[in-house]
Amino acid sequence: MSPLQDPEETPTSPLILDPSGGANQVRVRAHNERLVLSLVRRHGALSKADIARRSGLSAQTVSVIMRALEKDGLLSRGEPVRGRVGQPSIPMRLNPDAVLSFGVKIGRRSADLVLMDFVGQIRMQLHQIYPYPLPQDILSFVTSGIQELESRLSAGERDRLAGLGIAAPFELWNWAEEVGAPDGAMEVWRGVDLQAEIAARVPYPVYLQNDATSACGAELVFGVGPHYPDFVYFFIGSFLGGGIVLNSSIFVGRTGTAGALGPLPVRGPNGETLQLLEIASIFVLENLLRDHGFDPQPLWYSADNWIDFGEPLEIWIQETAKALAQAIVAAASVIDFSAAVIDGGFPNWVRERVVRATIKEAAELDLQGVVMPEIIEGMVGPQARAIGGASLPIFARYLIDQNILFKEIEHAEGH
């Protein structure tokens, strides 16, 4: 079926197969239905006329699709917009209750399980901390956590579950020393297929993506993405990770590692060359707090539980800002980004201080020949990785990849 073909011309068929083989009552939508849902999601609310104009589909086809989507509860009507010639325009919005999805974030110090709705809002969440992650602990947390969250849902809500998306660092065994794990303790991860192990334990489709890429995807879809088509993204977790967005689509590169900003070389506090993640990571703050006589454990309870640790926190913010400023200049020297987005697993007030300090540090660097992007705060926040994970089943079943969406819009407008 061509991208803009009317659904009446071709039998409806799913585009994404269930990767786990699990049975689920939520069906995969046909392509043009997904196109309509994606346009509504991107713009918040659209009338039938708006959708026909943006998609290139006929008005009749759009009417048929929107009636079906409204009947299935995926779209809901807004208040009529009056004041124009003819019938009032009725904006249609995504129904937040229509689809639910589980998202799991696996970090080096903690894990999160969230239940997210159709518009990206977290409905429920569970949190677990550990000295370092081990497969059995993660599997137990995920399976028991899903059972606990399911027990709080009605039968109708359980029927609307689209699946489970996992956001996890790749090659966890490479970070044993940094997280303080005993020698050899993390090697067990080498033989674990996390996606397959979890899929064997839950009755839903299971998807897997790198944690930093998931966070970047969440920012693209639910954060600053609609306003900045090209941005470099930094997420400061236990270790720093990142992503690159070009033409409103995540760019992963030839091997899938584009935007892995942690290894970027920067100048350290003593003039030495270090990797960005060796400065701008929460594990560095953890060690700094310990050196100053503070208990760093509250860093991993919840971002909401952070306190102002005073001098060590300020030292970390300033050093992080200097390193980030260098990284942003380096990135801007390669690609003309419209924004550099900074977020992390910390409270908003910490993020604001990091961004403010980074803007100051960037202004003091040699910027000759560099067109600097706007340095801004991310909008999604500490749960960006889990939200990005939870988005995976929803996009697989209901929505269209941002890059494909923009190509189709351009195709429609070209006609």
Side-chain angles (χ1 to χ4, degrees), residues 143-351:
T143 53
S144 64
I146 285 178
Q147 291 174 359
E148 179 179 338
L149 295 186
E150 282 179 334
S151 70
R152 306 181 197 175
L153 299 176
S154 67
E157 289 172 326
R158 289 195 292 272
D159 286 343
R160 296 197 293 273
L161 286 163
L164 168 66
I166 307 166
F170 293 162
E171 299 185 353
L172 272 163
W173 56 86
N174 284 332
W175 305 101
E177 181 179 351
E178 285 81 0
V179 300
D183 290 344
M186 300 277 283
E187 287 296 311
V188 65
W189 280 106
R190 289 185 184 271
V192 174
D193 184 335
L194 186 63
Q195 183 177 6
E197 291 287 347
I198 292 179
R201 291 166 168 79
V202 301
Y204 309 110
V206 176
Y207 304 81
L208 177 66
Q209 189 175 68
N210 176 264
D211 58 338
T213 304
S214 294
C216 186
E219 192 65 48
L220 171 62
V221 174
F222 300 114
V224 305
H227 309 291
Y228 296 92
D230 307 290
F231 61 86
V232 58
Y233 176 80
F234 300 87
F235 190 90
I236 305 172
S238 301
F239 296 91
L240 181 138
I244 291 173
V245 170
L246 298 175
N247 299 321
S248 296
S249 182
I250 294 177
F251 178 75
V252 297
R254 178 177 57 86
T255 63
T257 57
L261 300 169
L264 198 68
V266 295
R267 186 175 62 256
N270 301 314
E272 73 279 39
T273 299
L274 297 172
Q275 290 190 335
L276 178 61
L277 63 83
E278 295 180 89
I279 301 174
S281 295
I282 296 178
F283 94 91
V284 177
L285 175 60
E286 179 184 43
N287 293 333
L288 196 59
L289 291 177
R290 194 176 289 113
D291 292 343
H292 281 74
F294 289 90
D295 178 8
Q297 195 74 350
L299 293 177
W300 313 112
Y301 291 149
S302 166
D304 296 331
N305 292 337
W306 278 40
I307 62 171
D308 190 338
F309 290 98
E311 182 185 4
L313 178 61
E314 182 60 25
I315 292 172
W316 178 77
I317 287 174
Q318 293 303 320
E319 296 300 337
T320 292
K322 290 176 183 177
L324 285 173
Q326 295 173 62
I328 292 168
V329 171
S333 301
V334 179
I335 297 176
D336 185 17
F337 292 108
S338 54
V341 182
I342 300 171
D343 209 341
F346 36 59
N348 293 346
W349 58 268
V350 173
R351 182 178 64 199

